Amino acid sequence: MAVQTAESTTESAAPSVDLGPAAALSCRECGHRVPLGPVFACQECFGPLEIAYDFSAHDTEELRRRIEAGPANIWRYAPLLPVPADVATKPNINPGWTPLVRADNLARELGVTGGLYVKDDSGNPTHSFKDRVVAQALEAARAFGFTTLSCSSTGNLAGAVGAAAARAGLRSCVFIPHDLEQGKVVMAAVYGGELVGIEGSYDDVNRFCSELIGDPAGEGWGFVNVNLRPYYAEGSKTLAYEICEQLGWRLPDQIVVPIASGSQLTKIDKGLRELIELGLVEDRPYKIFGAQAEGCSPVSAAYKAGHDVVRPQKPKTIAKSLAIGNPADGPYVLDIARRTGGAVEDVTDEQIVEAIRLLARTEGIFAETAGGVTVGVTRKLIGSGALDPALTTVVLNTGDGLKTLDAVADTGLTATIRPNLDSFREAGLA
Amino acid sequence: MAVQTAESTTESAAPSVDLGPAAALSCRECGHRVPLGPVFACQECFGPLEIAYDFSAHDTEELRRRIEAGPANIWRYAPLLPVPADVATKPNINPGWTPLVRADNLARELGVTGGLYVKDDSGNPTHSFKDRVVAQALEAARAFGFTTLSCSSTGNLAGAVGAAAARAGLRSCVFIPHDLEQGKVVMAAVYGGELVGIEGSYDDVNRFCSELIGDPAGEGWGFVNVNLRPYYAEGSKTLAYEICEQLGWRLPDQIVVPIASGSQLTKIDKGLRELIELGLVEDRPYKIFGAQAEGCSPVSAAYKAGHDVVRPQKPKTIAKSLAIGNPADGPYVLDIARRTGGAVEDVTDEQIVEAIRLLARTEGIFAETAGGVTVGVTRKLIGSGALDPALTTVVLNTGDGLKTLDAVADTGLTATIRPNLDSFREAGLA
């Protein structure tokens, strides 16, 4: 079954790299196709490039059996990803197949009757969904002969790149603002790669990385979220695949996804559509909802104003892993939310913290601030009627509370007593 | 096939609780048997009670198929654990089936040629192996009608109990020394249970908990590591099961296990022996090695001195999750290390930190201090010739580096530069 077939036989006739079913790069704006390579922008229109696949070889039931017999990580979906068929034998951090938690306690609190699930990606090797995307970028880096894995980051991505490069035996060089909190520096530095502080803001770090890619000094460097971005981004499809397989090869009715650049949400939509086209799930409607923090809500603001374009904002929120003021995929997110009948909503920092506590208290899941955003937005969308509590709903938690302890730092002891029963009784604990 | 059959038909004729194949409690010292209940010490000799199973119903190949078709968590082994058959349908945090990482880079550094693996338990829901044992205690608490889950803790256990109780809808009440670091308090408190600070040392906390169990105020309370200890401890068997299944139903030749109370090591041995007796793995020799920090090495000291008893120590080490100066299972650990041809060894705090860095740099695994202990001891045992580098070796990492960031707090930036290529070249990074 062909989801997207290669238009040019030249591409498939002389492939320079083996990235499995990935056939070419295709511009999301103008459709122009180029061979697979470490490029990310269309030569014709400067639009973003994404992977075009040739899935024509797949028989639905044989594919399903192959997936189900695969490893308990994202490589069970190797036939649908831009990776070589033998990917599972290569040293990679093997993320994925994280729990889809049936959240009955949370459902009761939120009034959801149709089945509520939390896709908990804090179980990944470095405890965020970034391991999924970096794992793809690593395979692309190997395919293109890169010897250094790199990125700009302020947190989760730095650790994911450092860990993946260490496992694969590649050099890593991660760029961060020089004045990051010491804890975050430790988490990124412990893997032993180069960790370079840049005297400037995160924007300065990004600008410098773009400069480095164009310079001979950057030769042999794979920047996971720049020149490897088309491959990297595909990792988010695995969230869609896992959710459907864990639901028994069924689409959720509603799914709530955090928005940083917006790439994750667009790739989850892509993954769901692929499963439909491949016949692995029944073709029926699903709604995708986007979640932002009020302090960085450019997509939510555009959605509410009925705009097609996103006006950049200067982020100011505790949800730092979502704090991208000028999200590259913002317009695509707006399109998907509207097309599927979803919505985009935002919550305040206070509501984020409340939601982190709610999720921990009801389900024993300690989410990072991004998880507080999705749970908080879910609650708000139920309140407004945009999200139907009678339908099956999946909420994403993309990171780990241990990495954003500051958000709940005022959590403390419920009592302090002396070590005897009288003191215990006096405290009203008996 | 009967591994351990119930001696008394009374026990199995009138079971008051359904805990699957668990048939009775049996004293590890005198063999006296009592019905399943929330008791932990033998009435006859005060020896520790452990679970006696009736595995007589199992056909080997049918059992293997059932396990392999089970969920990607510890409940795939439900037929071998003290839990009801429908355990996977109950709200529990469902730990386990964590990665067994083929550690070829680390093997090269250590000179291991026979295959080196790291069993990485940082992937559990609250990022330590404690989720395995607490998950068992939770099922026992439900079976005995307890409504509060409790423990004394200084770290990992508090989070595991808080999370499990939240998921199950039980009350939790965790006791900790009142002056713990704020970060640890937050990690334990976020799940919304009672978190009680005790004015005193950890020993005072423990003494108070024992007092509470004997008092009417403690009625309905399940202390996971006290009155539920026989059930709790069995959770460590799942490490043995998973390692063997992940090796393709094969025993490792050598396994390196951290020692706190020593319970984990004894239960891993029990798990391996069960797999042999059930016919799930070939019966051939394996060696179990115990690992301690020099600053709390009572078992290692006894092993080296050729003693059968363990002399208590006052702990002083950065490996706080292993800092039990008077380990209850110390004599059993000595027995197992000697019987299997293993050894017990210890490493300094400096060697622990070096080993944390080594594991992170070579395999992208960021271990807590306990993981530094096992990797450091593995290196030392290879150096001394006690561990054979030509044999298949599994090293346990039982926790997450994010919880013991202090150990590597001096890890930092490798360079600081201005955001331009000249500065980049001057720093020698090109």
Side-chain angles (χ1 to χ4, degrees):
Chain A
M1 176 175 306
V3 173
Q4 287 172 293
T5 51
E7 287 162 19
S8 151
T9 51
T10 332
E11 288 157 5
S12 48
S16 53
V17 294
D18 172 15
L19 287 172
L25 293 174
S26 163
C27 175
R28 197 143 49 156
E29 288 299 323
C30 75
H32 180 70
R33 290 169 76 100
V34 294
L36 297 169
V39 288
F40 56 103
C42 177
Q43 296 151 301
E44 304 291 316
C45 75
F46 301 105
L49 296 174
E50 67 172 356
I51 311 283
Y53 294 94
D54 179 2
F55 291 153
S56 57
H58 289 317
D59 167 81
T60 301
E61 290 315 313
E62 196 273 328
L63 177 60
R64 193 194 310 275
R65 275 191 299 274
R66 190 167 152 191
I67 290 170
E68 289 176 348
N73 58 50
I74 56 171
W75 304 133
R76 63 200 285 113
Y77 305 109
L80 306 179
L81 294 170
V83 295
D86 64 348
V87 61
T89 67
K90 295 170 189 283
N92 196 305
I93 43 171
N94 306 330
W97 204 240
T98 55
L100 183 71
V101 177
R102 171 91 186 191
D104 288 341
N105 299 330
L106 180 61
R108 266 189 298 275
E109 294 261 358
L110 298 182
V112 175
T113 55
L116 181 63
Y117 298 84
V118 176
K119 179 64 175 171
D120 185 13
D121 243 16
S122 66
N124 277 316
T126 71
H127 306 321
S128 89
F129 100 97
K130 291 288 185 190
D131 290 325
R132 297 178 184 271
V133 286
V134 169
Q136 315 294 320
L138 171 59
E139 296 307 321
R142 263 199 272 255
F144 299 133
F146 290 138
T147 49
T148 298
L149 209 60
S150 186
C151 71
S152 56
S153 171
T154 63
N156 285 331
L157 188 56
V161 166
R167 179 77 56 85
L170 294 184
R171 180 177 178 240
S172 72
C173 187
V174 169
F175 297 96
I176 60 175
H178 73 118
D179 54 357
L180 269 196
E181 305 94 304
Q182 174 63 10
K184 288 194 179 166
V185 172
V186 171
M187 287 180 216
V190 73
Y191 302 104
E194 305 279 353
L195 184 69
V196 179
I198 300 276
E199 291 172 359
S201 69
Y202 182 62
D203 285 339
D204 293 322
V205 178
N206 269 328
R207 264 192 300 275
F208 169 73
C209 288
S210 300
E211 208 184 336
L212 184 54
I213 288 173
D215 189 88
E219 210 170 307
W221 289 48
F223 284 81
V224 299
N225 53 350
V226 189
N227 57 351
L228 298 177
R229 189 170 186 84
Y231 310 90
Y232 167 90
E234 296 295 290
S236 291
K237 292 198 308 179
T238 59
L239 279 162
Y241 300 157
E242 291 181 17
I243 288 167
C244 291
E245 185 179 353
Q246 288 170 323
L247 286 173
W249 293 110
R250 199 164 55 81
L251 290 167
D253 297 316
Q254 305 173 127
I255 177 165
V256 184
V257 182
I259 300 171
S261 73
S263 167
Q264 185 183 65
L265 189 147
T266 67
K267 296 303 180 184
I268 285 175
D269 178 59
K270 188 180 182 185
L272 296 177
R273 286 186 289 116
E274 286 174 353
L275 293 185
I276 292 171
E277 292 177 52
L278 288 160
L280 287 166
V281 296
E282 190 189 352
D283 186 3
R284 58 188 191 82
Y286 59 84
K287 297 180 182 185
I288 300 189
F289 298 83
Q292 296 206 292
E294 188 184 82
C296 181
S297 53
V299 187
S300 173
Y303 176 82
K304 290 173 183 175
H307 294 162
D308 291 332
V309 293
V310 171
R311 186 181 302 177
Q313 291 183 0
K314 197 173 157 61
K316 189 172 183 304
T317 169
I318 58 168
K320 292 194 196 306
S321 63
L322 303 182
I324 297 183
N326 188 13
D329 284 6
Y332 302 113
V333 167
L334 291 170
D335 182 51
I336 290 166
R338 288 173 179 142
R339 171 168 55 74
T340 65
V344 185
E345 188 50 274
D346 56 86
V347 282
T348 65
D349 282 2
E350 195 176 37
Q351 290 168 321
I352 293 168
V353 172
E354 274 171 23
I356 290 173
R357 292 188 197 284
L358 175 65
L359 182 61
R361 175 169 59 78
T362 53
E363 300 297 339
I365 296 171
F366 184 21
E368 75 150 282
T369 44
V373 169
T374 50
V375 171
V377 161
T378 301
R379 166 178 257 176
K380 194 167 173 183
L381 289 169
I382 291 169
S384 72
L387 200 139
D388 184 346
L391 297 178
T392 303
T393 304
V394 175
V395 180
L396 261 60
N397 172 40
T398 51
D400 201 289
L402 291 183
K403 293 195 184 184
T404 56
L405 278 178
D406 284 352
V408 288
D410 60 337
T411 311
L413 298 173
T414 48
T416 303
I417 64 171
R418 294 180 304 283
N420 62 61
L421 289 167
D422 284 346
S423 184
F424 178 76
R425 289 198 184 86
E426 279 162 24
L429 292 161
Chain B
M1 177 175 306
V3 172
Q4 287 173 292
T5 50
E7 286 163 19
S8 152
T9 51
T10 332
E11 287 157 6
S12 47
S16 53
V17 294
D18 172 16
L19 287 173
L25 293 173
S26 164
C27 176
R28 198 143 46 157
E29 288 299 324
C30 75
H32 180 70
R33 290 168 77 100
V34 294
L36 297 169
V39 288
F40 56 103
C42 178
Q43 297 151 300
E44 303 291 317
C45 76
F46 302 104
L49 295 174
E50 66 173 355
I51 311 282
Y53 293 95
D54 179 1
F55 291 152
S56 56
H58 289 317
D59 167 81
T60 301
E61 290 314 313
E62 197 273 330
L63 177 60
R64 193 194 308 276
R65 275 190 299 275
R66 189 168 153 193
I67 290 170
E68 289 176 348
N73 58 50
I74 55 171
W75 304 132
R76 64 200 286 115
Y77 306 108
L80 306 179
L81 295 170
V83 295
D86 65 346
V87 61
T89 67
K90 294 171 189 283
N92 196 305
I93 43 170
N94 305 331
W97 203 240
T98 56
L100 183 72
V101 176
R102 171 89 188 193
D104 287 342
N105 298 331
L106 181 61
R108 267 189 297 276
E109 294 261 357
L110 299 183
V112 175
T113 56
L116 181 65
Y117 298 83
V118 175
K119 179 63 175 172
D120 184 14
D121 243 16
S122 65
N124 277 318
T126 71
H127 306 322
S128 89
F129 101 96
K130 291 288 185 191
D131 290 325
R132 296 178 185 272
V133 285
V134 170
Q136 315 294 321
L138 170 59
E139 296 308 320
R142 264 200 270 257
F144 299 133
F146 290 137
T147 50
T148 298
L149 209 60
S150 186
C151 70
S152 56
S153 171
T154 64
N156 286 331
L157 188 56
V161 166
R167 179 75 57 84
L170 294 185
R171 180 177 179 244
S172 71
C173 189
V174 170
F175 297 95
I176 58 175
H178 72 118
D179 54 357
L180 269 196
E181 304 93 304
Q182 174 62 10
K184 288 193 179 166
V185 173
V186 171
M187 287 180 215
V190 73
Y191 302 104
E194 305 279 354
L195 184 69
V196 179
I198 300 275
E199 292 172 359
S201 69
Y202 182 62
D203 284 340
D204 292 322
V205 179
N206 269 329
R207 263 191 300 273
F208 169 72
C209 288
S210 300
E211 208 183 335
L212 184 53
I213 289 173
D215 189 87
E219 210 170 307
W221 289 48
F223 285 80
V224 299
N225 53 351
V226 188
N227 58 350
L228 298 177
R229 190 170 185 82
Y231 310 89
Y232 167 90
E234 296 294 290
S236 291
K237 291 197 310 178
T238 59
L239 280 162
Y241 300 156
E242 290 183 15
I243 288 167
C244 290
E245 185 179 353
Q246 289 170 323
L247 286 174
W249 294 110
R250 199 165 54 82
L251 289 167
D253 297 314
Q254 305 174 127
I255 178 166
V256 184
V257 182
I259 301 170
S261 73
S263 168
Q264 184 182 66
L265 189 147
T266 67
K267 295 303 179 183
I268 286 175
D269 178 59
K270 187 180 182 185
L272 296 177
R273 285 186 288 115
E274 285 175 354
L275 294 185
I276 292 171
E277 292 177 51
L278 287 160
L280 287 166
V281 298
E282 190 188 353
D283 185 3
R284 58 188 191 80
Y286 58 84
K287 296 180 182 183
I288 301 188
F289 297 83
Q292 295 206 294
E294 188 184 82
C296 181
S297 53
V299 187
S300 172
Y303 176 83
K304 291 174 183 176
H307 294 162
D308 291 332
V309 293
V310 171
R311 184 181 304 178
Q313 293 183 358
K314 198 172 158 60
K316 190 172 184 301
T317 168
I318 58 168
K320 292 194 197 305
S321 63
L322 304 182
I324 297 183
N326 188 12
D329 284 6
Y332 302 113
V333 166
L334 291 170
D335 182 51
I336 291 167
R338 287 173 180 143
R339 171 168 54 75
T340 65
V344 185
E345 188 51 276
D346 56 86
V347 282
T348 65
D349 282 2
E350 195 177 36
Q351 290 169 321
I352 293 169
V353 172
E354 274 172 23
I356 290 173
R357 291 189 198 284
L358 174 65
L359 181 61
R361 174 168 61 79
T362 53
E363 299 298 338
I365 296 170
F366 183 21
E368 75 149 282
T369 42
V373 169
T374 50
V375 171
V377 160
T378 301
R379 168 178 256 176
K380 194 167 173 183
L381 289 169
I382 291 170
S384 72
L387 200 139
D388 184 345
L391 298 179
T392 304
T393 304
V394 174
V395 180
L396 262 60
N397 172 40
T398 52
D400 200 289
L402 291 182
K403 294 194 184 183
T404 56
L405 279 178
D406 285 353
V408 288
D410 61 336
T411 311
L413 299 172
T414 47
T416 303
I417 65 171
R418 294 180 304 284
N420 62 61
L421 290 168
D422 284 346
S423 184
F424 178 76
R425 289 198 184 88
E426 280 163 24
L429 292 161

